[in-house]
Amino acid sequence: MHKPARIWLGVFTAGFAVIVALFLVTLFTQPAEGGLTRIGRVSETAFGWRSVPPPIPMTAVRGWEPAEADILVIGDSFSMYYAWQSPLVAAGYKVATTHWDRTGPLCTDFPAWLQSIGFHGRLVILESIERLLPERLEQAQACATMARRPLKSLPVPTASPSQPPPPRRLNWTSPLMTGLVTWRNTRQIVRTDGVVDVEHERFGDYIFSSPVAEGCRQFSSPVCDKSLFLTADRTNRELQPADADFMAAFARRAAPVQVMWMVVPNKTTVYLDTRNARAFADRADALGVGPDLFAMAQAQRLNIIDLYWPNDTHWSMQGQVYFGGRMREAVQAALAVPSSRERP
């Protein structure tokens, strides 16, 4: 064989071996199930949850259109599971759930908008994750008129949102380099004592890992002394007491419909920055704008393992059921318990 041919064959063989090796590493890298492991390309095997979630029967995973509902929920991704709403449904309330993206900013004419979409119920629950609420409040303060358009509820899940941990499976669909990048990111996190900003070529420093005090009492993941968090939890504006004042005024303007704000604390606030937004939460509690989920999360994070998923920024099903139960209590305190005639 001529020397150039041997060189070419050697280069081809070496390249083929590298590609095969990368393919095998990715193939045996557990596909990411959580938002943070997926975006950060961090090992699902290391940070995936292993706890047993509570059952959520499909009889309680139901939704109604706004015109048929007792309660209208305007929420974000925490409400899309229809999980925290299940205790309300089980208690007999008809709940319609939609997303902030479908309503747009909540403007001055919010009461008239409720009539325009056919809502004749008694209570609106405005659910928002802490990090996005400042922007939503600023938009609400800056607008006068909401769009008059039909409002549809979010699709109801076809299976119970409470499922066991996903089984191990081969990763056939991820890009070739995923396995190597995942191994490298996870290795850096495990070997580093402090905070690690996980770089992404498209999103930048979108997530970070951090040690968590008593983490193995709080997370079921194999790597339980650390967890993954969104960088935006720390870079977005902190909620202030003035925000609570506006929320209370907004609720008063909606009368006779009652408005209850449901502010979900950031995962970072619960496990790391425990005093974040505390002045806001104290003011909101004093004004009675809604249940103090900040205090509840601090009281329960050492009692409920995986209150938030270790591989995600959302509540686990344990968290959904716990906070849903507290919302049911708050609703029952604000409204009469549904009569048998009103039960679904």
Side-chain angles (χ1 to χ4, degrees):
M1 184 180 293
H2 295 295
K3 185 176 181 180
R6 288 198 302 270
I7 293 174
W8 180 88
L9 181 60
V11 171
F12 175 82
T13 303
F16 180 77
V18 169
I19 291 173
V20 169
L22 290 172
F23 170 75
L24 289 175
V25 171
T26 296
L27 181 66
F28 289 98
T29 297
Q30 174 76 356
E33 306 287 347
L36 297 177
T37 48
R38 183 179 64 253
I39 295 171
R41 291 171 298 182
V42 177
S43 171
E44 185 72 25
T45 302
F47 286 95
W49 53 279
R50 294 294 179 267
S51 55
V52 178
I56 300 178
M58 282 301 291
T59 54
V61 182
R62 298 186 58 187
W64 287 260
E65 290 303 324
E68 305 169 328
D70 303 313
I71 300 170
L72 172 63
V73 174
I74 300 174
D76 49 33
S77 54
F78 280 78
S79 296
M80 294 178 66
Y81 300 96
Y82 277 82
W84 72 258
Q85 300 96 311
S86 62
L88 293 176
V89 174
Y93 296 103
K94 297 178 181 179
V95 183
T97 299
T98 192
H99 197 282
W100 290 87
D101 289 345
R102 296 192 176 192
T103 65
L106 306 184
C107 305
T108 302
D109 67 341
F110 179 70
W113 176 82
L114 288 175
Q115 292 184 346
S116 75
I117 64 170
F119 178 68
H120 302 293
R122 297 172 290 169
L123 176 67
V124 176
I125 298 176
L126 302 177
E127 178 271 312
S128 176
I129 182 65
E130 173 192 346
R131 66 176 172 275
L132 296 180
L133 186 55
E135 179 182 0
R136 288 167 174 160
L137 295 177
E138 289 161 10
Q139 290 174 340
Q141 294 177 67
C143 67
T145 303
M146 298 180 66
R148 297 294 195 274
R149 59 177 181 268
L151 184 70
K152 293 292 184 180
S153 294
L154 294 173
V156 179
T158 57
S160 172
S162 186
Q163 298 291 328
R168 284 197 58 82
R169 56 191 175 92
L170 297 177
N171 191 346
W172 294 98
T173 58
S174 293
L176 184 64
M177 294 295 292
T178 298
L180 179 61
V181 173
T182 298
W183 173 84
R184 184 187 63 201
N185 289 346
T186 306
R187 182 173 180 267
Q188 182 184 13
I189 290 170
V190 171
R191 291 192 170 191
T192 302
D193 292 333
V195 171
V196 175
D197 293 315
V198 183
E199 294 280 351
H200 191 288
E201 64 271 9
R202 180 180 176 188
F203 301 110
D205 293 342
Y206 199 85
I207 78 165
F208 68 95
S209 70
S210 174
V212 176
E214 298 188 88
C216 292
R217 287 185 58 189
Q218 300 171 83
F219 296 114
S220 66
S221 50
V223 176
C224 55
D225 59 336
K226 300 175 181 179
S227 196
L228 307 175
F229 302 90
L230 276 178
T231 302
D233 285 359
R234 286 181 162 174
T235 58
N236 287 12
R237 177 175 76 79
E238 182 178 355
L239 286 165
Q240 301 296 326
D243 294 314
D245 292 335
F246 173 77
M247 292 159 66
F250 183 92
R252 288 193 297 270
R253 290 201 304 268
V257 175
Q258 296 189 58
V259 170
M260 182 181 296
W261 291 86
M262 179 182 177
V263 185
V264 178
N266 296 335
K267 183 181 179 184
T268 306
T269 299
V270 175
Y271 295 100
L272 301 179
D273 308 328
T274 57
R275 296 299 301 172
N276 195 61
R278 190 65 255 173
F280 158 81
D282 290 343
R283 180 62 175 163
D285 188 49
L287 293 172
V289 301
D292 186 355
L293 274 58
F294 289 79
M296 294 177 192
Q298 286 305 315
Q300 294 301 319
R301 65 186 178 92
L302 290 170
N303 297 325
I304 300 176
I305 196 162
D306 295 339
L307 185 67
Y308 288 63
W309 276 313
N311 62 350
D312 203 286
T313 190
H314 294 92
W315 290 331
S316 69
M317 290 303 112
Q318 291 93 309
Q320 290 272 351
V321 170
Y322 169 73
F323 287 109
R326 306 294 76 73
M327 291 303 299
R328 179 193 61 213
E329 293 169 0
V331 168
Q332 289 176 334
L335 305 176
V337 176
S339 66
S340 58
R341 180 181 63 83
E342 295 173 307
R343 291 183 184 275

PDB file of all heavy atoms in Angstrom, residues 94-123:
ATOM      1  N   LYS A  94     -64.832  23.812  40.816  1.00  0.00           N
ATOM      2  CA  LYS A  94     -64.580  23.738  39.383  1.00  0.00           C
ATOM      3  C   LYS A  94     -63.503  24.772  39.051  1.00  0.00           C
ATOM      4  O   LYS A  94     -63.708  25.971  39.246  1.00  0.00           O
ATOM      5  CB  LYS A  94     -65.858  24.030  38.597  1.00  0.00           C
ATOM      6  CG  LYS A  94     -66.968  23.008  38.839  1.00  0.00           C
ATOM      7  CD  LYS A  94     -68.217  23.388  38.068  1.00  0.00           C
ATOM      8  CE  LYS A  94     -69.341  22.382  38.317  1.00  0.00           C
ATOM      9  NZ  LYS A  94     -70.582  22.762  37.586  1.00  0.00           N
ATOM     10  N   VAL A  95     -62.369  24.292  38.551  1.00  0.00           N
ATOM     11  CA  VAL A  95     -61.193  25.141  38.370  1.00  0.00           C
ATOM     12  C   VAL A  95     -60.844  25.226  36.890  1.00  0.00           C
ATOM     13  O   VAL A  95     -60.673  24.198  36.214  1.00  0.00           O
ATOM     14  CB  VAL A  95     -59.989  24.592  39.158  1.00  0.00           C
ATOM     15  CG1 VAL A  95     -58.783  25.528  39.008  1.00  0.00           C
ATOM     16  CG2 VAL A  95     -60.348  24.406  40.631  1.00  0.00           C
ATOM     17  N   ALA A  96     -60.735  26.445  36.378  1.00  0.00           N
ATOM     18  CA  ALA A  96     -60.224  26.684  35.029  1.00  0.00           C
ATOM     19  C   ALA A  96     -58.790  27.186  35.155  1.00  0.00           C
ATOM     20  O   ALA A  96     -58.506  28.051  35.996  1.00  0.00           O
ATOM     21  CB  ALA A  96     -61.084  27.714  34.306  1.00  0.00           C
ATOM     22  N   THR A  97     -57.899  26.660  34.344  1.00  0.00           N
ATOM     23  CA  THR A  97     -56.488  27.046  34.413  1.00  0.00           C
ATOM     24  C   THR A  97     -56.015  27.534  33.058  1.00  0.00           C
ATOM     25  O   THR A  97     -56.188  26.851  32.039  1.00  0.00           O
ATOM     26  CB  THR A  97     -55.609  25.854  34.850  1.00  0.00           C
ATOM     27  OG1 THR A  97     -56.013  25.416  36.152  1.00  0.00           O
ATOM     28  CG2 THR A  97     -54.143  26.254  34.898  1.00  0.00           C
ATOM     29  N   THR A  98     -55.418  28.715  33.038  1.00  0.00           N
ATOM     30  CA  THR A  98     -54.815  29.240  31.821  1.00  0.00           C
ATOM     31  C   THR A  98     -53.451  29.821  32.156  1.00  0.00           C
ATOM     32  O   THR A  98     -53.030  29.830  33.311  1.00  0.00           O
ATOM     33  CB  THR A  98     -55.726  30.282  31.152  1.00  0.00           C
ATOM     34  OG1 THR A  98     -55.238  30.570  29.834  1.00  0.00           O
ATOM     35  CG2 THR A  98     -55.775  31.575  31.965  1.00  0.00           C
ATOM     36  N   HIS A  99     -52.745  30.291  31.133  1.00  0.00           N
ATOM     37  CA  HIS A  99     -51.360  30.738  31.290  1.00  0.00           C
ATOM     38  C   HIS A  99     -51.270  32.244  31.087  1.00  0.00           C
ATOM     39  O   HIS A  99     -52.048  32.839  30.329  1.00  0.00           O
ATOM     40  CB  HIS A  99     -50.464  30.014  30.276  1.00  0.00           C
ATOM     41  CG  HIS A  99     -49.003  30.075  30.580  1.00  0.00           C
ATOM     42  ND1 HIS A  99     -48.228  31.186  30.336  1.00  0.00           N
ATOM     43  CD2 HIS A  99     -48.172  29.151  31.122  1.00  0.00           C
ATOM     44  CE1 HIS A  99     -46.983  30.949  30.708  1.00  0.00           C
ATOM     45  NE2 HIS A  99     -46.919  29.717  31.187  1.00  0.00           N
ATOM     46  N   TRP A 100     -50.292  32.855  31.761  1.00  0.00           N
ATOM     47  CA  TRP A 100     -50.041  34.286  31.570  1.00  0.00           C
ATOM     48  C   TRP A 100     -49.828  34.626  30.096  1.00  0.00           C
ATOM     49  O   TRP A 100     -50.217  35.712  29.640  1.00  0.00           O
ATOM     50  CB  TRP A 100     -48.813  34.711  32.365  1.00  0.00           C
ATOM     51  CG  TRP A 100     -48.966  34.725  33.845  1.00  0.00           C
ATOM     52  CD1 TRP A 100     -48.777  33.691  34.703  1.00  0.00           C
ATOM     53  CD2 TRP A 100     -49.332  35.853  34.654  1.00  0.00           C
ATOM     54  NE1 TRP A 100     -48.997  34.077  36.002  1.00  0.00           N
ATOM     55  CE2 TRP A 100     -49.331  35.411  36.002  1.00  0.00           C
ATOM     56  CE3 TRP A 100     -49.641  37.185  34.380  1.00  0.00           C
ATOM     57  CZ2 TRP A 100     -49.639  36.259  37.060  1.00  0.00           C
ATOM     58  CZ3 TRP A 100     -49.948  38.031  35.437  1.00  0.00           C
ATOM     59  CH2 TRP A 100     -49.949  37.558  36.755  1.00  0.00           C
ATOM     60  N   ASP A 101     -49.209  33.717  29.340  1.00  0.00           N
ATOM     61  CA  ASP A 101     -48.964  33.985  27.924  1.00  0.00           C
ATOM     62  C   ASP A 101     -50.270  34.113  27.149  1.00  0.00           C
ATOM     63  O   ASP A 101     -50.313  34.771  26.106  1.00  0.00           O
ATOM     64  CB  ASP A 101     -48.128  32.860  27.310  1.00  0.00           C
ATOM     65  CG  ASP A 101     -46.685  32.872  27.807  1.00  0.00           C
ATOM     66  OD1 ASP A 101     -46.276  33.890  28.388  1.00  0.00           O
ATOM     67  OD2 ASP A 101     -45.985  31.860  27.606  1.00  0.00           O
ATOM     68  N   ARG A 102     -51.335  33.484  27.628  1.00  0.00           N
ATOM     69  CA  ARG A 102     -52.616  33.549  26.938  1.00  0.00           C
ATOM     70  C   ARG A 102     -53.420  34.782  27.329  1.00  0.00           C
ATOM     71  O   ARG A 102     -54.240  35.265  26.543  1.00  0.00           O
ATOM     72  CB  ARG A 102     -53.439  32.285  27.214  1.00  0.00           C
ATOM     73  CG  ARG A 102     -52.812  31.017  26.666  1.00  0.00           C
ATOM     74  CD  ARG A 102     -53.780  29.849  26.707  1.00  0.00           C
ATOM     75  NE  ARG A 102     -53.203  28.662  26.096  1.00  0.00           N
ATOM     76  CZ  ARG A 102     -53.889  27.565  25.777  1.00  0.00           C
ATOM     77  NH1 ARG A 102     -55.189  27.503  26.021  1.00  0.00           N
ATOM     78  NH2 ARG A 102     -53.285  26.522  25.218  1.00  0.00           N
ATOM     79  N   THR A 103     -53.226  35.276  28.535  1.00  0.00           N
ATOM     80  CA  THR A 103     -53.992  36.444  28.972  1.00  0.00           C
ATOM     81  C   THR A 103     -53.308  37.746  28.586  1.00  0.00           C
ATOM     82  O   THR A 103     -53.973  38.761  28.366  1.00  0.00           O
ATOM     83  CB  THR A 103     -54.168  36.448  30.502  1.00  0.00           C
ATOM     84  OG1 THR A 103     -52.891  36.609  31.138  1.00  0.00           O
ATOM     85  CG2 THR A 103     -54.813  35.155  30.968  1.00  0.00           C
ATOM     86  N   GLY A 104     -51.984  37.736  28.500  1.00  0.00           N
ATOM     87  CA  GLY A 104     -51.253  38.981  28.371  1.00  0.00           C
ATOM     88  C   GLY A 104     -51.207  39.703  29.707  1.00  0.00           C
ATOM     89  O   GLY A 104     -51.694  39.185  30.732  1.00  0.00           O
ATOM     90  N   PRO A 105     -50.632  40.914  29.753  1.00  0.00           N
ATOM     91  CA  PRO A 105     -50.571  41.663  31.017  1.00  0.00           C
ATOM     92  C   PRO A 105     -51.958  41.897  31.611  1.00  0.00           C
ATOM     93  O   PRO A 105     -52.938  42.075  30.888  1.00  0.00           O
ATOM     94  CB  PRO A 105     -49.912  42.990  30.605  1.00  0.00           C
ATOM     95  CG  PRO A 105     -49.175  42.679  29.343  1.00  0.00           C
ATOM     96  CD  PRO A 105     -49.988  41.625  28.643  1.00  0.00           C
ATOM     97  N   LEU A 106     -52.025  41.887  32.935  1.00  0.00           N
ATOM     98  CA  LEU A 106     -53.286  42.126  33.638  1.00  0.00           C
ATOM     99  C   LEU A 106     -53.414  43.626  33.882  1.00  0.00           C
ATOM    100  O   LEU A 106     -52.752  44.185  34.746  1.00  0.00           O
ATOM    101  CB  LEU A 106     -53.318  41.348  34.955  1.00  0.00           C
ATOM    102  CG  LEU A 106     -53.042  39.848  34.834  1.00  0.00           C
ATOM    103  CD1 LEU A 106     -53.197  39.169  36.187  1.00  0.00           C
ATOM    104  CD2 LEU A 106     -53.953  39.189  33.801  1.00  0.00           C
ATOM    105  N   CYS A 107     -54.296  44.269  33.132  1.00  0.00           N
ATOM    106  CA  CYS A 107     -54.350  45.729  33.093  1.00  0.00           C
ATOM    107  C   CYS A 107     -55.446  46.286  34.002  1.00  0.00           C
ATOM    108  O   CYS A 107     -56.121  45.551  34.734  1.00  0.00           O
ATOM    109  CB  CYS A 107     -54.559  46.195  31.655  1.00  0.00           C
ATOM    110  SG  CYS A 107     -53.328  45.547  30.495  1.00  0.00           S
ATOM    111  N   THR A 108     -55.614  47.593  33.925  1.00  0.00           N
ATOM    112  CA  THR A 108     -56.558  48.287  34.798  1.00  0.00           C
ATOM    113  C   THR A 108     -57.976  47.765  34.638  1.00  0.00           C
ATOM    114  O   THR A 108     -58.748  47.697  35.602  1.00  0.00           O
ATOM    115  CB  THR A 108     -56.513  49.799  34.509  1.00  0.00           C
ATOM    116  OG1 THR A 108     -55.170  50.274  34.699  1.00  0.00           O
ATOM    117  CG2 THR A 108     -57.439  50.563  35.437  1.00  0.00           C
ATOM    118  N   ASP A 109     -58.346  47.385  33.412  1.00  0.00           N
ATOM    119  CA  ASP A 109     -59.717  46.936  33.160  1.00  0.00           C
ATOM    120  C   ASP A 109     -59.885  45.430  33.392  1.00  0.00           C
ATOM    121  O   ASP A 109     -60.773  44.810  32.800  1.00  0.00           O
ATOM    122  CB  ASP A 109     -60.148  47.309  31.736  1.00  0.00           C
ATOM    123  CG  ASP A 109     -59.358  46.551  30.680  1.00  0.00           C
ATOM    124  OD1 ASP A 109     -58.263  46.027  31.000  1.00  0.00           O
ATOM    125  OD2 ASP A 109     -59.834  46.469  29.531  1.00  0.00           O
ATOM    126  N   PHE A 110     -59.090  44.861  34.271  1.00  0.00           N
ATOM    127  CA  PHE A 110     -59.157  43.423  34.552  1.00  0.00           C
ATOM    128  C   PHE A 110     -60.564  42.954  34.909  1.00  0.00           C
ATOM    129  O   PHE A 110     -61.019  41.924  34.399  1.00  0.00           O
ATOM    130  CB  PHE A 110     -58.165  43.089  35.666  1.00  0.00           C
ATOM    131  CG  PHE A 110     -58.136  41.635  36.072  1.00  0.00           C
ATOM    132  CD1 PHE A 110     -57.624  40.671  35.223  1.00  0.00           C
ATOM    133  CD2 PHE A 110     -58.617  41.241  37.313  1.00  0.00           C
ATOM    134  CE1 PHE A 110     -57.593  39.329  35.598  1.00  0.00           C
ATOM    135  CE2 PHE A 110     -58.593  39.910  37.699  1.00  0.00           C
ATOM    136  CZ  PHE A 110     -58.085  38.947  36.836  1.00  0.00           C
ATOM    137  N   PRO A 111     -61.329  43.675  35.772  1.00  0.00           N
ATOM    138  CA  PRO A 111     -62.697  43.219  36.082  1.00  0.00           C
ATOM    139  C   PRO A 111     -63.585  43.129  34.841  1.00  0.00           C
ATOM    140  O   PRO A 111     -64.340  42.160  34.676  1.00  0.00           O
ATOM    141  CB  PRO A 111     -63.210  44.264  37.072  1.00  0.00           C
ATOM    142  CG  PRO A 111     -61.972  44.840  37.685  1.00  0.00           C
ATOM    143  CD  PRO A 111     -60.963  44.857  36.582  1.00  0.00           C
ATOM    144  N   ALA A 112     -63.493  44.120  33.957  1.00  0.00           N
ATOM    145  CA  ALA A 112     -64.287  44.074  32.727  1.00  0.00           C
ATOM    146  C   ALA A 112     -63.818  42.938  31.824  1.00  0.00           C
ATOM    147  O   ALA A 112     -64.633  42.300  31.140  1.00  0.00           O
ATOM    148  CB  ALA A 112     -64.193  45.419  31.990  1.00  0.00           C
ATOM    149  N   TRP A 113     -62.535  42.678  31.820  1.00  0.00           N
ATOM    150  CA  TRP A 113     -61.991  41.558  31.016  1.00  0.00           C
ATOM    151  C   TRP A 113     -62.540  40.232  31.507  1.00  0.00           C
ATOM    152  O   TRP A 113     -62.878  39.359  30.700  1.00  0.00           O
ATOM    153  CB  TRP A 113     -60.472  41.580  31.075  1.00  0.00           C
ATOM    154  CG  TRP A 113     -59.819  40.427  30.363  1.00  0.00           C
ATOM    155  CD1 TRP A 113     -59.574  40.321  29.022  1.00  0.00           C
ATOM    156  CD2 TRP A 113     -59.335  39.217  30.955  1.00  0.00           C
ATOM    157  NE1 TRP A 113     -58.978  39.115  28.739  1.00  0.00           N
ATOM    158  CE2 TRP A 113     -58.809  38.420  29.911  1.00  0.00           C
ATOM    159  CE3 TRP A 113     -59.294  38.736  32.260  1.00  0.00           C
ATOM    160  CZ2 TRP A 113     -58.251  37.169  30.133  1.00  0.00           C
ATOM    161  CZ3 TRP A 113     -58.730  37.483  32.490  1.00  0.00           C
ATOM    162  CH2 TRP A 113     -58.219  36.716  31.441  1.00  0.00           C
ATOM    163  N   LEU A 114     -62.645  40.060  32.819  1.00  0.00           N
ATOM    164  CA  LEU A 114     -63.215  38.825  33.351  1.00  0.00           C
ATOM    165  C   LEU A 114     -64.633  38.615  32.826  1.00  0.00           C
ATOM    166  O   LEU A 114     -65.021  37.504  32.452  1.00  0.00           O
ATOM    167  CB  LEU A 114     -63.226  38.856  34.882  1.00  0.00           C
ATOM    168  CG  LEU A 114     -61.876  38.725  35.588  1.00  0.00           C
ATOM    169  CD1 LEU A 114     -62.054  38.895  37.093  1.00  0.00           C
ATOM    170  CD2 LEU A 114     -61.209  37.379  35.282  1.00  0.00           C
ATOM    171  N   GLN A 115     -65.420  39.677  32.786  1.00  0.00           N
ATOM    172  CA  GLN A 115     -66.778  39.566  32.248  1.00  0.00           C
ATOM    173  C   GLN A 115     -66.748  39.238  30.766  1.00  0.00           C
ATOM    174  O   GLN A 115     -67.557  38.442  30.281  1.00  0.00           O
ATOM    175  CB  GLN A 115     -67.544  40.871  32.486  1.00  0.00           C
ATOM    176  CG  GLN A 115     -67.855  41.159  33.944  1.00  0.00           C
ATOM    177  CD  GLN A 115     -68.693  42.406  34.122  1.00  0.00           C
ATOM    178  OE1 GLN A 115     -68.843  43.206  33.202  1.00  0.00           O
ATOM    179  NE2 GLN A 115     -69.253  42.575  35.308  1.00  0.00           N
ATOM    180  N   SER A 116     -65.798  39.803  30.047  1.00  0.00           N
ATOM    181  CA  SER A 116     -65.745  39.596  28.595  1.00  0.00           C
ATOM    182  C   SER A 116     -65.407  38.159  28.230  1.00  0.00           C
ATOM    183  O   SER A 116     -65.780  37.687  27.149  1.00  0.00           O
ATOM    184  CB  SER A 116     -64.725  40.542  27.961  1.00  0.00           C
ATOM    185  OG  SER A 116     -63.391  40.119  28.211  1.00  0.00           O
ATOM    186  N   ILE A 117     -64.687  37.433  29.096  1.00  0.00           N
ATOM    187  CA  ILE A 117     -64.358  36.038  28.806  1.00  0.00           C
ATOM    188  C   ILE A 117     -65.407  35.084  29.371  1.00  0.00           C
ATOM    189  O   ILE A 117     -65.267  33.864  29.264  1.00  0.00           O
ATOM    190  CB  ILE A 117     -62.966  35.650  29.348  1.00  0.00           C
ATOM    191  CG1 ILE A 117     -62.919  35.728  30.880  1.00  0.00           C
ATOM    192  CG2 ILE A 117     -61.879  36.509  28.713  1.00  0.00           C
ATOM    193  CD1 ILE A 117     -61.662  35.134  31.497  1.00  0.00           C
ATOM    194  N   GLY A 118     -66.457  35.652  29.980  1.00  0.00           N
ATOM    195  CA  GLY A 118     -67.553  34.833  30.474  1.00  0.00           C
ATOM    196  C   GLY A 118     -67.341  34.242  31.845  1.00  0.00           C
ATOM    197  O   GLY A 118     -68.093  33.342  32.254  1.00  0.00           O
ATOM    198  N   PHE A 119     -66.356  34.746  32.592  1.00  0.00           N
ATOM    199  CA  PHE A 119     -66.120  34.192  33.931  1.00  0.00           C
ATOM    200  C   PHE A 119     -67.117  34.792  34.910  1.00  0.00           C
ATOM    201  O   PHE A 119     -67.170  36.003  35.103  1.00  0.00           O
ATOM    202  CB  PHE A 119     -64.687  34.484  34.383  1.00  0.00           C
ATOM    203  CG  PHE A 119     -64.390  33.976  35.773  1.00  0.00           C
ATOM    204  CD1 PHE A 119     -64.337  32.615  36.032  1.00  0.00           C
ATOM    205  CD2 PHE A 119     -64.152  34.869  36.820  1.00  0.00           C
ATOM    206  CE1 PHE A 119     -64.069  32.138  37.312  1.00  0.00           C
ATOM    207  CE2 PHE A 119     -63.872  34.404  38.100  1.00  0.00           C
ATOM    208  CZ  PHE A 119     -63.834  33.031  38.338  1.00  0.00           C
ATOM    209  N   HIS A 120     -67.884  33.924  35.570  1.00  0.00           N
ATOM    210  CA  HIS A 120     -68.861  34.362  36.553  1.00  0.00           C
ATOM    211  C   HIS A 120     -68.594  33.708  37.904  1.00  0.00           C
ATOM    212  O   HIS A 120     -69.492  33.669  38.755  1.00  0.00           O
ATOM    213  CB  HIS A 120     -70.276  34.019  36.081  1.00  0.00           C
ATOM    214  CG  HIS A 120     -70.622  34.617  34.754  1.00  0.00           C
ATOM    215  ND1 HIS A 120     -70.761  35.978  34.551  1.00  0.00           N
ATOM    216  CD2 HIS A 120     -70.825  34.040  33.537  1.00  0.00           C
ATOM    217  CE1 HIS A 120     -71.057  36.218  33.287  1.00  0.00           C
ATOM    218  NE2 HIS A 120     -71.095  35.060  32.644  1.00  0.00           N
ATOM    219  N   GLY A 121     -67.382  33.212  38.097  1.00  0.00           N
ATOM    220  CA  GLY A 121     -67.025  32.558  39.343  1.00  0.00           C
ATOM    221  C   GLY A 121     -66.723  33.550  40.445  1.00  0.00           C
ATOM    222  O   GLY A 121     -66.927  34.768  40.312  1.00  0.00           O
ATOM    223  N   ARG A 122     -66.201  33.021  41.525  1.00  0.00           N
ATOM    224  CA  ARG A 122     -66.033  33.828  42.730  1.00  0.00           C
ATOM    225  C   ARG A 122     -64.594  34.188  43.052  1.00  0.00           C
ATOM    226  O   ARG A 122     -64.348  35.089  43.860  1.00  0.00           O
ATOM    227  CB  ARG A 122     -66.631  33.059  43.917  1.00  0.00           C
ATOM    228  CG  ARG A 122     -68.128  32.808  43.794  1.00  0.00           C
ATOM    229  CD  ARG A 122     -68.624  31.882  44.884  1.00  0.00           C
ATOM    230  NE  ARG A 122     -68.146  30.520  44.702  1.00  0.00           N
ATOM    231  CZ  ARG A 122     -68.263  29.559  45.613  1.00  0.00           C
ATOM    232  NH1 ARG A 122     -68.806  29.836  46.793  1.00  0.00           N
ATOM    233  NH2 ARG A 122     -67.832  28.333  45.368  1.00  0.00           N
ATOM    234  N   LEU A 123     -63.633  33.496  42.443  1.00  0.00           N
ATOM    235  CA  LEU A 123     -62.243  33.689  42.859  1.00  0.00           C
ATOM    236  C   LEU A 123     -61.299  33.531  41.678  1.00  0.00           C
ATOM    237  O   LEU A 123     -61.453  32.625  40.856  1.00  0.00           O
ATOM    238  CB  LEU A 123     -61.878  32.655  43.934  1.00  0.00           C
ATOM    239  CG  LEU A 123     -60.418  32.639  44.429  1.00  0.00           C
ATOM    240  CD1 LEU A 123     -60.098  33.918  45.195  1.00  0.00           C
ATOM    241  CD2 LEU A 123     -60.164  31.420  45.307  1.00  0.00           C
TER     242      LEU A 123
END
